[in-house]
Amino acid sequence: MNLEFFITKRLIKGKENKSSISAPIIKIAIAAIAMSVIMMLFAIATGEGLKEKVREKVAAFNGHIQIFNYDNNTSDVSVVPVSLEQEFYPEFTSIDGVTHIQAIANKGGIIIADETFEGVIAKGVGKDYNWDVFKEYLIEGRLPNYTGKLNEEVLVSSLIANRLQLKVGDTFSTFFLKDNNPSQTPNRRNFTIVGLYNSGFEEFDGTYIFVDIRHIQRINKWKENEVGSFEVFLESFDAIDKKSEEVYGATLSTLDSTNIKKKYGSIFEWIGLFDFNVTLIIGIMIIVGGINMITALLVLILERTQMIGILKALGAANWSVRKVFLYNAVYLIAIGLFWGNLIGLGLLWMQSKFKFLKFADPKEYYIEYIPVHIDLITIVALNTGVMVLCLLMLLVPSYIITKISPVKSIKFE
């Protein structure tokens, strides 16, 4: 029989323990652990959720990796075409972790409406374009269909549509300058809005409209098998740096490649700060919970001073007596973790389901509501870390037991 565990069970189940002086202090310590766990779960879930959403939105407009001609400039407009006849297209089978590759072509233009105009980039896409990533952002109408004959269907952001006072079903004219001779009469194309999207990313929403890539090919006088660039989508964003190197090595020497982390460095540096903030919150919460548990442990020791003296008089070693109180502390921490996880995960589920928590200024975070994301491994690691760190913090105050004299403690009142 484990003597220390047996004594701990008797202390926990004892009726006098519920009406003791330490009872309210113990409840406060449990509540502190629970609140700390709730705060840590929210910090991790919202931090990871926001990072994931921002990554998804940037990748939706650019893919994770872009492959283009070395002669292209650094702008978003396609200048020098790339042949579709590549070993990696239409499937990038030579590299694991690539889920999709699509061909696109960008062309700068000006939309002319009745009372105003707007500069845009027409993103030409074809039948290989993955519209699944845009279904979430579609707010009105439908997505364009470019699998058949050349058509004038276009997807426009609600931001551009509001500026130009356009709606689904309206037709507008777009003028494209000729790259070889800008002084010549611009190319004109009429498009009909079939859908409106809103990603919440003004940098993209205020820039891109989606058209049939064959319009861009005709305006630039490219062949049917020539496009502006390729967009590569990865299974995991975490592997983007490694996969970027592999993609670069798997393409021709005339082609260059980059990824969204490099292209939009400022955005990813900003979301990288979330990790520091989450780490800081976790550290503070563990300290708060640990201090409350130290207080509770000291009160328990003070309240059970006579018991400590009797155990020592009966021959119990200092470490054996310390384990009694550490086992008690494990029980209290476990209760705090249980309620913290129950409440915290419950609130996170409600947020993911009903999205009741929203940002005061959605433009600052590129999303209207606070996104959450957390996995089982993170939950297990967090709970294990809290338990271990709190116990390590309790080892020092439990050392006071070794200083208690059996003779004096038995007389202690």
Side-chain angles (χ1 to χ4, degrees):
M1 178 186 290
N2 189 324
L3 178 62
E4 297 87 357
F5 187 66
F6 174 77
I7 296 173
T8 303
K9 282 172 55 178
R10 293 298 298 270
L11 291 175
I12 292 171
K13 293 180 179 179
K15 293 181 180 180
E16 67 278 1
N17 193 44
K18 298 179 181 179
S19 59
S20 63
I21 299 173
S22 62
I25 297 175
I26 289 173
K27 291 178 180 177
I28 292 173
I30 292 173
I33 292 292
M35 287 299 298
S36 297
V37 172
I38 293 170
M39 292 297 294
M40 287 187 283
L41 285 172
F42 260 84
I44 294 172
T46 55
E48 289 299 315
L50 190 55
K51 285 167 60 177
E52 187 179 75
K53 279 297 179 183
V54 172
R55 290 170 180 171
E56 286 179 0
K57 290 187 177 185
V58 177
F61 285 90
N62 301 271
H64 292 103
I65 302 171
Q66 301 82 45
I67 303 172
F68 46 86
N69 198 302
Y70 256 118
D71 295 330
N72 264 329
N73 55 26
T74 57
S75 71
D76 290 329
V77 177
S78 305
V79 178
V80 181
V82 181
S83 174
L84 281 176
E85 298 174 1
Q86 307 289 340
E87 291 184 2
F88 55 79
Y89 184 81
E91 294 184 5
F92 217 135
T93 55
S94 61
I95 297 178
D96 295 331
V98 174
T99 59
H100 183 66
I101 182 169
Q102 57 197 25
I104 62 102
N106 293 335
K107 183 74 174 177
I110 299 176
I111 298 176
I112 304 295
D114 293 337
E115 298 180 359
T116 185
F117 64 91
E118 190 79 20
V120 297
I121 292 179
K123 183 168 185 175
V125 301
K127 58 184 179 181
D128 64 345
Y129 195 76
N130 181 18
W131 288 108
D132 291 343
V133 293
F134 263 88
K135 289 179 180 178
E136 179 184 350
Y137 310 137
L138 187 68
I139 60 173
E140 190 178 344
R142 61 173 176 83
L143 295 170
N145 183 5
Y146 301 140
T147 57
K149 295 182 179 180
L150 176 67
N151 60 59
E152 287 71 42
E153 294 183 355
V154 62
L155 179 68
V156 178
S157 71
S158 59
L159 179 64
I160 293 177
N162 290 335
R163 289 175 179 174
L164 297 172
Q165 299 179 357
L166 297 172
K167 61 184 184 297
V168 173
D170 287 350
T171 299
F172 61 85
S173 297
T174 306
F175 294 87
F176 301 94
L177 293 178
K178 296 180 179 179
D179 294 330
N180 296 331
N181 194 348
S183 61
Q184 290 185 354
T185 304
N187 290 291
R188 176 178 176 175
R189 291 291 186 278
N190 293 325
F191 297 110
T192 301
I193 301 175
V194 296
L196 298 178
Y197 74 89
N198 180 18
S199 72
F201 227 114
E202 283 197 13
E203 182 177 345
F204 298 137
D205 289 0
T207 302
Y208 290 102
I209 64 172
F210 292 82
V211 304
D212 194 321
I213 193 172
R214 287 168 287 189
H215 285 294
I216 309 300
Q217 290 171 328
R218 291 188 177 187
I219 292 171
N220 289 341
K221 296 182 179 179
W222 291 350
K223 299 177 182 177
E224 290 184 4
N225 67 339
E226 291 181 330
V227 296
S229 60
F230 296 94
E231 294 178 344
V232 181
F233 289 84
L234 303 178
E235 186 177 321
S236 172
F237 180 86
D238 296 332
I240 190 169
D241 292 324
K242 179 183 177 182
K243 296 303 176 182
S244 294
E245 295 178 1
E246 293 180 10
V247 167
Y248 181 79
T251 55
L252 297 174
S253 58
T254 56
L255 300 178
D256 194 10
S257 63
T258 188
N259 60 54
I260 53 176
K261 280 182 67 177
K262 295 178 181 178
K263 189 174 182 180
Y264 302 100
S266 59
I267 294 175
F268 287 93
E269 286 178 8
W270 169 65
I271 64 175
L273 295 175
F274 298 163
D275 293 332
F276 173 77
N277 295 337
V278 170
T279 303
L280 183 63
I281 291 172
I282 290 175
I284 293 172
M285 290 299 103
I286 288 178
I287 292 172
V288 170
I291 290 174
N292 278 274
M293 284 306 304
I294 290 172
T295 304
L297 181 65
L298 291 174
V299 172
L300 285 171
I301 292 172
L302 182 64
E303 191 177 48
R304 299 289 178 176
T305 302
Q306 288 184 334
M307 185 194 77
I308 294 170
I310 293 172
L311 289 173
K312 283 190 174 185
L314 292 173
N318 285 322
W319 176 240
S320 180
V321 180
R322 289 173 70 185
K323 282 201 291 185
V324 172
F325 289 91
L326 290 175
Y327 284 158
N328 204 337
V330 169
Y331 171 74
L332 299 178
I333 295 171
I335 294 176
L337 290 175
F338 171 78
W339 286 109
N341 282 280
L342 184 65
I343 297 171
L345 294 175
L347 291 173
L348 289 175
W349 178 83
M350 290 175 64
Q351 172 62 16
S352 65
K353 190 75 173 177
F354 304 107
K355 300 177 176 58
F356 56 89
L357 295 177
K358 301 182 183 296
F359 288 112
D361 187 3
K363 295 180 181 179
E364 293 288 332
Y365 296 93
Y366 309 114
I367 191 169
E368 184 178 353
Y369 63 92
I370 298 177
V372 295
H373 173 77
I374 196 166
D375 53 49
L376 181 60
I377 295 175
T378 303
I379 295 171
V380 172
L382 176 64
N383 283 271
T384 304
V386 171
M387 178 66 78
V388 171
L389 290 174
C390 284
L391 280 177
L392 290 175
M393 293 172 68
L394 293 175
L395 286 176
V396 176
S398 70
Y399 184 73
I400 196 173
I401 293 172
T402 64
K403 302 298 181 181
I404 296 176
S405 170
V407 176
K408 294 180 179 179
S409 60
I410 292 174
K411 295 180 181 180
F412 179 80
E413 293 183 1

